[in-house]
Amino acid sequence: MGRPHMKSAPHILYIEDNEFNQRLIRKILEPAGFKLSSAFDGIQGIKQAIDLKPDLILMDLELPQIDGLGAATKIKSLPGLAKVPIVALTSKTSKRDRDQALVAGCDGYIEKPINARTFADQVRRYLKGEHERIEPANKTRILRDFNVTLVNKLQAKIEELEKTNQELRQSKEELLHAYEQSQNWNLELQRLTRLKENIVGITSHELRTPLSIATGYIDLLLEGMLGELNDDTHRVLQISQTSLAKMSDLITKITDLTRLALKKFPMNLEVVDINEIFKNVREGMSFFMKIRNLDFHMERSDEPIWVQADPNLIEQVLSNLLKNAICFTPDHGKIEVKTWIQDNKGWFEIADTGIGIKEEDLEKIFDEFYQVTDVNYHKTGQFEYMTRGIGVGLALCKGILSELGGKIGASSSGLNQGSSFTFYLPMVTQE
Ligand code: ADP
């Protein structure tokens, strides 16, 4: 005896955008032995019908995108699907609605709200081939109306598309206009950049010339080559000499900063040892540390720290960091420098016991022209406590180091808790 033939569960596709209705029908049909698939709009419904080839389709008539009537017409026109019964499931209850559904291709019609007790049997009957009929006289009229409705819908869609098309054309024109405008801004930006370059070039040159003449004469006067000087005149000239040196330093810094920003910074790259360069810097400033009674301590790396860099620029970075440590540390304070090699990088750290930096200023001090304290508290000396420039030194350090592939950062435990500045540069790899 052969095995009894197990007929598989009838497969129903339910096209309905309302999730609650979907759940309700599933609750009724699944326990009654049906397999249920869902689609949530007309287009998805048509696709699912093609892919799943269900035994019957339950179709809500009010669907987004293509409505139920359109979807039914389309499904019935597809090869292989023409015979799949479609049952309209809708709250539209007039006879006209019913006839329209039949004309569109539906085979049956169940009104909402459905009767939960009889629903599964209704579906079974449609599965067995039952289908509603429409009187032939009505059919022609409804068919004509249906065609008119379709044409109206089509017309509305075409009008909508035309409107979208027009809006798209307008957006395209606006975009083109914005693009042209951005091109103009670009040109203007290039013009301003050139102007900035020229101004920096001219200013630094024009300022430097009278500055060097004044410095030259002051040097001559101080050396007594233009006659004997009394003590007061000598002192005044020395102060002027210091001020002019500061001014010259400032011009160099501002010019360098601008060049760095414009990516036009001339670099004479060599392989140099950071420890050696710092030795020179320290020697140049040791006199000032001595008169300020600052205790200096250094822990050098065992090996030289070979980096590829412009020695003058590295000197500038190291000078700036040491000068800041001297200026922002009160007399009798301590400055500690440490250098080491780690992960193919050369590291440099300078820590002081000075005025410290507030947490919120730790990043900002590297911005151009940023200074923490009120300018009224500035001192205009060279290495006296609280002497400062115009807030470009650290910006320059950051720019130079980043141009050379390095990075700098600051840390401090807060005001009067001292500060520490650390940077690294990639080391030259040894062959
Ligand atoms: P400036 O030329 O004014 O010193 P910098 O760019 O070198 O400018 O420094 C910016 C600011 O960062 C300084 O004005 C100071 O407020 C703060 N600063 C720099 N170094 C230190 C330090 N070692 N200790 C405390 N504050 C510092």
Side-chain angles (χ1 to χ4, degrees), residues 10 27 30-31 50 95 136 145 149 190 195 201-202 221 256 289 301 305 315 341 354 358 389 396:
K27 265 198 182 148
E30 279 181 348
I50 296 170
K95 168 140 178 22
D145 285 356
T149 316
Q190 281 173 10
L195 197 71
I202 292 168
L221 283 166
D256 286 353
M289 288 195 267
S301 59
I305 299 184
E315 187 177 321
I341 295 168
K358 279 191 278 178
L396 205 54

Side-chain angles (χ1 to χ4, degrees), residues 320 324 328 352 357 365 370-372 388-389 391 393-394 419 421:
N320 203 68
N324 278 352
F328 295 113
D352 61 52
I357 302 163
I365 51 171
Y370 187 83
Q371 293 182 311
V372 178
R388 62 189 64 204
L394 288 178
S419 325
F421 289 78

Side-chain angles (χ1 to χ4, degrees), residues 272 274 305-309 314 342-348 400-407 423-428:
V272 292
I274 292 184
I305 299 184
W306 295 115
V307 295
Q308 192 169 39
I314 296 295
Q342 191 187 324
D343 301 333
N344 262 336
K345 290 177 185 134
W347 293 80
F348 178 96
I400 291 171
L401 290 169
S402 119
E403 201 58 17
L404 293 168
K407 208 170 172 185
F423 75 78
Y424 70 75
L425 277 175
M427 284 201 43
V428 176

Side-chain angles (χ1 to χ4, degrees), residues 236-427:
V236 168
L237 284 175
Q238 266 179 335
I239 294 171
S240 308
Q241 192 186 39
T242 309
S243 298
L244 289 180
K246 248 191 135 175
M247 194 167 162
S248 166
D249 182 50
L250 272 183
I251 294 171
T252 311
K253 279 182 174 161
I254 292 179
T255 317
D256 286 353
L257 254 186
T258 315
R259 286 202 190 125
L260 265 176
L262 293 171
K263 302 257 169 243
K264 292 204 168 160
F265 203 78
M267 295 231 182
N268 298 315
L269 296 182
E270 289 172 27
V271 174
V272 292
D273 174 12
I274 292 184
N275 284 330
E276 266 318 287
I277 300 184
F278 184 70
K279 199 169 143 230
N280 295 337
V281 169
R282 181 198 157 179
E283 275 166 14
M285 295 189 195
S286 59
F287 169 73
F288 300 100
M289 288 195 267
K290 204 165 165 203
I291 54 173
R292 295 273 321 282
N293 281 309
L294 293 170
D295 179 17
F296 181 87
H297 181 76
M298 172 143 190
E299 199 180 310
R300 271 169 75 126
S301 59
D302 298 336
E303 303 284 321
I305 299 184
W306 295 115
V307 295
Q308 192 169 39
D310 183 325
N312 291 326
L313 296 182
I314 296 295
E315 187 177 321
Q316 214 171 313
V317 170
L318 298 173
S319 304
N320 203 68
L321 293 176
L322 181 57
K323 184 177 178 297
N324 278 352
I326 296 173
C327 292
F328 295 113
T329 304
D331 294 7
H332 303 285
K334 194 170 173 186
I335 297 173
E336 281 182 294
V337 170
K338 193 175 160 198
T339 60
W340 71 100
I341 295 168
Q342 191 187 324
D343 301 333
N344 262 336
K345 290 177 185 134
W347 293 80
F348 178 96
E349 181 188 73
I350 179 161
D352 61 52
T353 55
I355 60 168
I357 302 163
K358 279 191 278 178
E359 168 124 37
E360 66 259 34
D361 287 322
L362 284 173
E363 291 269 337
K364 294 187 200 147
I365 51 171
F366 293 99
D367 293 346
E368 295 169 28
F369 305 109
Y370 187 83
Q371 293 182 311
V372 178
T373 51
D374 193 329
V375 276
N376 291 326
Y377 295 117
H378 281 196
K379 289 226 179 106
T380 46
Q382 227 186 332
F383 288 91
E384 284 90 346
Y385 179 46
M386 293 306 272
T387 297
R388 62 189 64 204
I390 54 166
V392 292
L394 288 178
L396 205 54
C397 290
K398 185 177 168 181
I400 291 171
L401 290 169
S402 119
E403 201 58 17
L404 293 168
K407 208 170 172 185
I408 185 166
S411 67
S412 168
S413 305
L415 282 185
N416 298 319
Q417 304 293 313
S419 325
S420 117
F421 289 78
T422 311
F423 75 78
Y424 70 75
L425 277 175
M427 284 201 43

